[in-house]
Amino acid sequence: MEGAVEKPNWWQRRNWWKIGFFVMLGLFEFAREWAVIASYPEPKIATSAYVGSYGGFTTAKGRWLRLDGGGSMMPSAVVIECWEEQRECLEVTAHVNDGYLSEPVVDRFDATFAADAVSYENDNPDCAKYAVRIDLKLKKVIAVRDRKDNPKNEMCSKLEPRIEMTLGDGYQRNDKPFEGHFVPVIAGLVGVLKSFD
């Protein structure tokens, strides 16, 4: 029959521009979420926890980690060296803030030496006082930061009253990479993949 209009097949009846639009929208959202997660990397601190002592020389290194279950601390690498003959400890700390490494801060402190421990206090900061103990039996460094009441510096009132911490390994596993980020597509995809385990 001449003049008959041929019915379009299934492939031709689709509005491909609409399908393409939503596919591109999904890909854009996935790329946005990936960029959000990638833009907040946890700084990598190349240090491992160590405590050692030999012939009046004690050394410790690591990264300050909280023992009291509070929020995370500013990433840092710390080295402590103590000499019993001089009755002092040298503490070197380098902080990482927003992915930037600060210059090392070097401090010397009068120290107290015992058969199983070395201890010293850092009273230098305006807002806090640190009491540090290197336990040679446990091979651990434990520190307590207590807030000072300093009315001249109003920032002091914003510090937590007390933090208990230890020198631990630099590498810290992030078990909640999506926490604090709006990433519904990636979180949904991870949830679907985990359901197959």
Side-chain angles (χ1 to χ4, degrees):
M1 275 189 353
E2 286 187 31
V5 177
E6 187 178 326
K7 186 176 179 184
N9 64 24
W10 179 89
W11 187 260
Q12 294 171 330
R13 288 194 309 259
R14 302 300 114 202
N15 285 326
W16 290 108
W17 70 270
K18 289 181 183 177
I19 294 169
F21 172 78
F22 287 107
V23 167
M24 292 303 293
L25 190 63
L27 289 174
F28 176 78
E29 175 60 17
F30 182 81
R32 181 200 69 80
E33 293 178 15
W34 190 270
V36 165
I37 292 170
S39 68
Y40 292 94
E42 176 68 20
K44 292 164 181 58
I45 308 297
T47 187
S48 57
Y50 173 80
V51 174
S53 182
Y54 180 75
F57 175 72
T58 301
T59 184
K61 65 176 186 157
R63 171 185 182 174
W64 287 121
L65 302 172
R66 289 187 75 153
L67 290 171
D68 55 11
S72 61
M73 300 183 67
M74 181 183 294
S76 62
V78 179
V79 176
I80 302 170
E81 294 181 345
C82 302
W83 295 269
E84 187 170 7
E85 191 175 300
Q86 284 92 5
R87 315 286 302 168
E88 69 177 12
C89 288
L90 177 76
E91 181 180 299
V92 181
T93 305
H95 294 283
V96 178
N97 191 5
D98 288 333
Y100 291 95
L101 178 66
S102 72
E103 68 276 357
V105 176
V106 180
D107 288 308
R108 287 188 186 276
F109 304 105
D110 293 331
T112 303
F113 289 79
D116 62 347
V118 179
S119 57
Y120 63 90
E121 287 189 352
N122 177 358
D123 199 17
N124 294 343
D126 281 347
C127 297
K129 179 180 181 179
Y130 295 81
V132 180
R133 177 182 166 87
I134 304 170
D135 193 309
L136 300 174
K137 283 189 178 177
L138 296 176
K139 300 286 186 191
K140 292 210 175 278
V141 180
I142 298 169
V144 175
R145 185 191 81 184
D146 288 311
R147 182 180 69 199
K148 294 179 186 176
D149 292 325
N150 186 352
K152 295 178 184 175
N153 188 342
E154 58 191 44
M155 296 300 288
C156 294
S157 63
K158 296 180 181 178
L159 283 181
E160 292 182 56
R162 183 179 176 90
I163 291 180
E164 296 173 10
M165 51 196 172
T166 186
L167 280 183
D169 289 330
Y171 173 75
Q172 298 298 309
R173 184 175 164 169
N174 185 3
D175 293 327
K176 299 176 183 176
F178 306 139
E179 192 172 288
H181 306 297
F182 181 69
V183 288
V185 173
I186 293 178
L189 184 63
V190 168
V192 168
L193 291 174
K194 282 185 178 179
S195 69
F196 292 116
D197 288 342

